[in-house]
PDB file of all heavy atoms in Angstrom:
ATOM      1  N   LEU A  48     -13.683 -22.621  17.400  1.00 95.00           N
ATOM      2  CA  LEU A  48     -12.582 -22.785  16.431  1.00 95.00           C
ATOM      3  C   LEU A  48     -11.256 -22.350  17.064  1.00 95.00           C
ATOM      4  O   LEU A  48     -10.241 -23.030  16.923  1.00 95.00           O
ATOM      5  CB  LEU A  48     -12.852 -21.977  15.152  1.00 95.00           C
ATOM      6  CG  LEU A  48     -14.047 -22.447  14.300  1.00 95.00           C
ATOM      7  CD1 LEU A  48     -14.313 -21.467  13.150  1.00 95.00           C
ATOM      8  CD2 LEU A  48     -13.800 -23.839  13.734  1.00 95.00           C
ATOM      9  N   PHE A  49     -11.299 -21.225  17.788  1.00 96.00           N
ATOM     10  CA  PHE A  49     -10.071 -20.768  18.459  1.00 96.00           C
ATOM     11  C   PHE A  49      -9.647 -21.761  19.557  1.00 96.00           C
ATOM     12  O   PHE A  49      -8.463 -22.060  19.704  1.00 96.00           O
ATOM     13  CB  PHE A  49     -10.271 -19.378  19.081  1.00 96.00           C
ATOM     14  CG  PHE A  49     -10.238 -18.244  18.081  1.00 96.00           C
ATOM     15  CD1 PHE A  49     -11.202 -17.244  18.105  1.00 96.00           C
ATOM     16  CD2 PHE A  49      -9.237 -18.158  17.124  1.00 96.00           C
ATOM     17  CE1 PHE A  49     -11.173 -16.186  17.200  1.00 96.00           C
ATOM     18  CE2 PHE A  49      -9.202 -17.106  16.210  1.00 96.00           C
ATOM     19  CZ  PHE A  49     -10.175 -16.114  16.253  1.00 96.00           C
ATOM     20  N   ARG A  50     -10.641 -22.275  20.329  1.00 92.00           N
ATOM     21  CA  ARG A  50     -10.286 -23.222  21.401  1.00 92.00           C
ATOM     22  C   ARG A  50      -9.645 -24.488  20.810  1.00 92.00           C
ATOM     23  O   ARG A  50      -8.696 -25.033  21.362  1.00 92.00           O
ATOM     24  CB  ARG A  50     -11.513 -23.589  22.255  1.00 92.00           C
ATOM     25  CG  ARG A  50     -11.769 -22.592  23.385  1.00 92.00           C
ATOM     26  CD  ARG A  50     -12.930 -23.010  24.268  1.00 92.00           C
ATOM     27  NE  ARG A  50     -14.207 -22.887  23.582  1.00 92.00           N
ATOM     28  CZ  ARG A  50     -14.867 -21.750  23.426  1.00 92.00           C
ATOM     29  NH1 ARG A  50     -14.389 -20.635  23.927  1.00 92.00           N
ATOM     30  NH2 ARG A  50     -16.018 -21.707  22.784  1.00 92.00           N
ATOM     31  N   ALA A  51     -10.165 -24.929  19.642  1.00 93.00           N
ATOM     32  CA  ALA A  51      -9.589 -26.127  19.002  1.00 93.00           C
ATOM     33  C   ALA A  51      -8.148 -25.827  18.576  1.00 93.00           C
ATOM     34  O   ALA A  51      -7.262 -26.676  18.731  1.00 93.00           O
ATOM     35  CB  ALA A  51     -10.443 -26.530  17.803  1.00 93.00           C
ATOM     36  N   ALA A  52      -7.917 -24.611  18.071  1.00 95.00           N
ATOM     37  CA  ALA A  52      -6.559 -24.246  17.634  1.00 95.00           C
ATOM     38  C   ALA A  52      -5.606 -24.239  18.835  1.00 95.00           C
ATOM     39  O   ALA A  52      -4.460 -24.695  18.740  1.00 95.00           O
ATOM     40  CB  ALA A  52      -6.583 -22.882  16.946  1.00 95.00           C
ATOM     41  N   VAL A  53      -6.103 -23.737  19.976  1.00 94.00           N
ATOM     42  CA  VAL A  53      -5.263 -23.705  21.186  1.00 94.00           C
ATOM     43  C   VAL A  53      -4.970 -25.136  21.636  1.00 94.00           C
ATOM     44  O   VAL A  53      -3.821 -25.502  21.917  1.00 94.00           O
ATOM     45  CB  VAL A  53      -5.964 -22.915  22.320  1.00 94.00           C
ATOM     46  CG1 VAL A  53      -5.208 -23.058  23.640  1.00 94.00           C
ATOM     47  CG2 VAL A  53      -6.106 -21.438  21.947  1.00 94.00           C
ATOM     48  N   LYS A  54      -6.017 -25.967  21.661  1.00 91.00           N
ATOM     49  CA  LYS A  54      -5.871 -27.356  22.135  1.00 91.00           C
ATOM     50  C   LYS A  54      -4.862 -28.123  21.260  1.00 91.00           C
ATOM     51  O   LYS A  54      -4.056 -28.894  21.749  1.00 91.00           O
ATOM     52  CB  LYS A  54      -7.244 -28.029  22.054  1.00 91.00           C
ATOM     53  CG  LYS A  54      -7.324 -29.367  22.737  1.00 91.00           C
ATOM     54  CD  LYS A  54      -8.746 -29.907  22.686  1.00 91.00           C
ATOM     55  CE  LYS A  54      -8.793 -31.371  23.018  1.00 91.00           C
ATOM     56  NZ  LYS A  54     -10.107 -31.954  22.773  1.00 91.00           N
ATOM     57  N   ASN A  55      -4.914 -27.857  19.933  1.00 95.00           N
ATOM     58  CA  ASN A  55      -4.025 -28.575  19.023  1.00 95.00           C
ATOM     59  C   ASN A  55      -2.650 -27.922  18.890  1.00 95.00           C
ATOM     60  O   ASN A  55      -1.813 -28.404  18.127  1.00 95.00           O
ATOM     61  CB  ASN A  55      -4.680 -28.681  17.630  1.00 95.00           C
ATOM     62  CG  ASN A  55      -5.958 -29.502  17.697  1.00 95.00           C
ATOM     63  OD1 ASN A  55      -6.058 -30.438  18.493  1.00 95.00           O
ATOM     64  ND2 ASN A  55      -6.958 -29.144  16.899  1.00 95.00           N
ATOM     65  N   GLY A  56      -2.468 -26.783  19.572  1.00 96.00           N
ATOM     66  CA  GLY A  56      -1.154 -26.122  19.544  1.00 96.00           C
ATOM     67  C   GLY A  56      -0.759 -25.629  18.159  1.00 96.00           C
ATOM     68  O   GLY A  56       0.432 -25.618  17.825  1.00 96.00           O
ATOM     69  N   THR A  57      -1.718 -25.230  17.334  1.00 95.00           N
ATOM     70  CA  THR A  57      -1.395 -24.726  15.982  1.00 95.00           C
ATOM     71  C   THR A  57      -0.783 -23.324  16.104  1.00 95.00           C
ATOM     72  O   THR A  57      -0.902 -22.671  17.155  1.00 95.00           O
ATOM     73  CB  THR A  57      -2.661 -24.623  15.108  1.00 95.00           C
ATOM     74  OG1 THR A  57      -3.490 -23.584  15.659  1.00 95.00           O
ATOM     75  CG2 THR A  57      -3.449 -25.930  15.068  1.00 95.00           C
ATOM     76  N   PRO A  58      -0.169 -22.804  15.009  1.00 95.00           N
ATOM     77  CA  PRO A  58       0.387 -21.434  15.071  1.00 95.00           C
ATOM     78  C   PRO A  58      -0.694 -20.418  15.463  1.00 95.00           C
ATOM     79  O   PRO A  58      -0.441 -19.523  16.273  1.00 95.00           O
ATOM     80  CB  PRO A  58       0.880 -21.194  13.643  1.00 95.00           C
ATOM     81  CG  PRO A  58       1.179 -22.574  13.114  1.00 95.00           C
ATOM     82  CD  PRO A  58       0.162 -23.478  13.740  1.00 95.00           C
ATOM     83  N   LEU A  59      -1.934 -20.593  14.951  1.00 95.00           N
ATOM     84  CA  LEU A  59      -3.016 -19.679  15.335  1.00 95.00           C
ATOM     85  C   LEU A  59      -3.295 -19.812  16.837  1.00 95.00           C
ATOM     86  O   LEU A  59      -3.437 -18.822  17.545  1.00 95.00           O
ATOM     87  CB  LEU A  59      -4.289 -19.998  14.529  1.00 95.00           C
ATOM     88  CG  LEU A  59      -5.534 -19.199  14.917  1.00 95.00           C
ATOM     89  CD1 LEU A  59      -5.364 -17.725  14.558  1.00 95.00           C
ATOM     90  CD2 LEU A  59      -6.796 -19.752  14.226  1.00 95.00           C
ATOM     91  N   GLY A  60      -3.347 -21.054  17.306  1.00 95.00           N
ATOM     92  CA  GLY A  60      -3.618 -21.317  18.720  1.00 95.00           C
ATOM     93  C   GLY A  60      -2.605 -20.629  19.623  1.00 95.00           C
ATOM     94  O   GLY A  60      -2.957 -20.041  20.645  1.00 95.00           O
ATOM     95  N   LEU A  61      -1.325 -20.692  19.234  1.00 96.00           N
ATOM     96  CA  LEU A  61      -0.279 -20.073  20.058  1.00 96.00           C
ATOM     97  C   LEU A  61      -0.458 -18.551  20.099  1.00 96.00           C
ATOM     98  O   LEU A  61      -0.217 -17.916  21.117  1.00 96.00           O
ATOM     99  CB  LEU A  61       1.109 -20.428  19.515  1.00 96.00           C
ATOM    100  CG  LEU A  61       1.458 -21.927  19.589  1.00 96.00           C
ATOM    101  CD1 LEU A  61       2.808 -22.208  18.952  1.00 96.00           C
ATOM    102  CD2 LEU A  61       1.464 -22.396  21.051  1.00 96.00           C
ATOM    103  N   LYS A  62      -0.930 -17.983  18.980  1.00 95.00           N
ATOM    104  CA  LYS A  62      -1.119 -16.526  18.936  1.00 95.00           C
ATOM    105  C   LYS A  62      -2.278 -16.072  19.817  1.00 95.00           C
ATOM    106  O   LYS A  62      -2.261 -14.986  20.371  1.00 95.00           O
ATOM    107  CB  LYS A  62      -1.449 -16.091  17.490  1.00 95.00           C
ATOM    108  CG  LYS A  62      -0.239 -15.884  16.628  1.00 95.00           C
ATOM    109  CD  LYS A  62      -0.660 -15.257  15.305  1.00 95.00           C
ATOM    110  CE  LYS A  62       0.415 -15.475  14.271  1.00 95.00           C
ATOM    111  NZ  LYS A  62      -0.052 -15.494  12.917  1.00 95.00           N
ATOM    112  N   VAL A  63      -3.352 -16.902  19.889  1.00 96.00           N
ATOM    113  CA  VAL A  63      -4.580 -16.418  20.547  1.00 96.00           C
ATOM    114  C   VAL A  63      -4.746 -16.887  22.000  1.00 96.00           C
ATOM    115  O   VAL A  63      -5.601 -16.365  22.712  1.00 96.00           O
ATOM    116  CB  VAL A  63      -5.846 -16.822  19.725  1.00 96.00           C
ATOM    117  CG1 VAL A  63      -5.746 -16.287  18.315  1.00 96.00           C
ATOM    118  CG2 VAL A  63      -6.108 -18.308  19.729  1.00 96.00           C
ATOM    119  N   LYS A  64      -3.931 -17.854  22.428  1.00 95.00           N
ATOM    120  CA  LYS A  64      -4.114 -18.476  23.750  1.00 95.00           C
ATOM    121  C   LYS A  64      -4.232 -17.445  24.889  1.00 95.00           C
ATOM    122  O   LYS A  64      -5.203 -17.440  25.638  1.00 95.00           O
ATOM    123  CB  LYS A  64      -2.940 -19.425  24.006  1.00 95.00           C
ATOM    124  CG  LYS A  64      -3.081 -20.274  25.232  1.00 95.00           C
ATOM    125  CD  LYS A  64      -1.954 -21.294  25.274  1.00 95.00           C
ATOM    126  CE  LYS A  64      -2.191 -22.314  26.359  1.00 95.00           C
ATOM    127  NZ  LYS A  64      -1.677 -21.963  27.640  1.00 95.00           N
ATOM    128  N   ASP A  65      -3.223 -16.550  24.991  1.00 94.00           N
ATOM    129  CA  ASP A  65      -3.203 -15.608  26.113  1.00 94.00           C
ATOM    130  C   ASP A  65      -4.304 -14.559  25.984  1.00 94.00           C
ATOM    131  O   ASP A  65      -4.877 -14.139  26.988  1.00 94.00           O
ATOM    132  CB  ASP A  65      -1.833 -14.921  26.212  1.00 94.00           C
ATOM    133  CG  ASP A  65      -0.769 -15.916  26.647  1.00 94.00           C
ATOM    134  OD1 ASP A  65      -1.143 -17.004  27.121  1.00 94.00           O
ATOM    135  OD2 ASP A  65       0.426 -15.607  26.485  1.00 94.00           O
ATOM    136  N   ILE A  66      -4.594 -14.161  24.763  1.00 94.00           N
ATOM    137  CA  ILE A  66      -5.661 -13.157  24.549  1.00 94.00           C
ATOM    138  C   ILE A  66      -6.973 -13.742  25.052  1.00 94.00           C
ATOM    139  O   ILE A  66      -7.738 -13.101  25.767  1.00 94.00           O
ATOM    140  CB  ILE A  66      -5.817 -12.805  23.047  1.00 94.00           C
ATOM    141  CG1 ILE A  66      -4.514 -12.278  22.456  1.00 94.00           C
ATOM    142  CG2 ILE A  66      -6.982 -11.848  22.834  1.00 94.00           C
ATOM    143  CD1 ILE A  66      -4.545 -12.046  20.952  1.00 94.00           C
ATOM    144  N   MET A  67      -7.240 -14.993  24.682  1.00 92.00           N
ATOM    145  CA  MET A  67      -8.499 -15.631  25.086  1.00 92.00           C
ATOM    146  C   MET A  67      -8.582 -15.793  26.602  1.00 92.00           C
ATOM    147  O   MET A  67      -9.621 -15.520  27.205  1.00 92.00           O
ATOM    148  CB  MET A  67      -8.649 -16.997  24.422  1.00 92.00           C
ATOM    149  CG  MET A  67      -8.901 -16.900  22.940  1.00 92.00           C
ATOM    150  SD  MET A  67      -9.028 -18.524  22.211  1.00 92.00           S
ATOM    151  CE  MET A  67     -10.642 -19.035  22.769  1.00 92.00           C
ATOM    152  N   ALA A  68      -7.489 -16.235  27.194  1.00 89.00           N
ATOM    153  CA  ALA A  68      -7.510 -16.462  28.647  1.00 89.00           C
ATOM    154  C   ALA A  68      -7.771 -15.167  29.408  1.00 89.00           C
ATOM    155  O   ALA A  68      -8.392 -15.174  30.467  1.00 89.00           O
ATOM    156  CB  ALA A  68      -6.194 -17.095  29.087  1.00 89.00           C
ATOM    157  N   SER A  69      -7.345 -14.025  28.831  1.00 88.00           N
ATOM    158  CA  SER A  69      -7.540 -12.737  29.525  1.00 88.00           C
ATOM    159  C   SER A  69      -8.961 -12.215  29.352  1.00 88.00           C
ATOM    160  O   SER A  69      -9.376 -11.319  30.062  1.00 88.00           O
ATOM    161  CB  SER A  69      -6.561 -11.710  28.969  1.00 88.00           C
ATOM    162  OG  SER A  69      -6.969 -11.333  27.660  1.00 88.00           O
ATOM    163  N   GLY A  70      -9.678 -12.738  28.364  1.00 88.00           N
ATOM    164  CA  GLY A  70     -11.046 -12.264  28.109  1.00 88.00           C
ATOM    165  C   GLY A  70     -11.113 -11.208  27.022  1.00 88.00           C
ATOM    166  O   GLY A  70     -12.179 -10.701  26.705  1.00 88.00           O
TER     167      GLY A  70
END
Side-chain angles (χ1 to χ4, degrees):
L48 294 173
F49 283 133
R50 274 183 290 280
V53 171
K54 191 176 165 189
N55 297 327
T57 68
L59 175 68
L61 295 176
K62 276 189 199 153
V63 303
K64 188 172 190 272
D65 291 345
I66 302 174
M67 290 179 75
S69 72

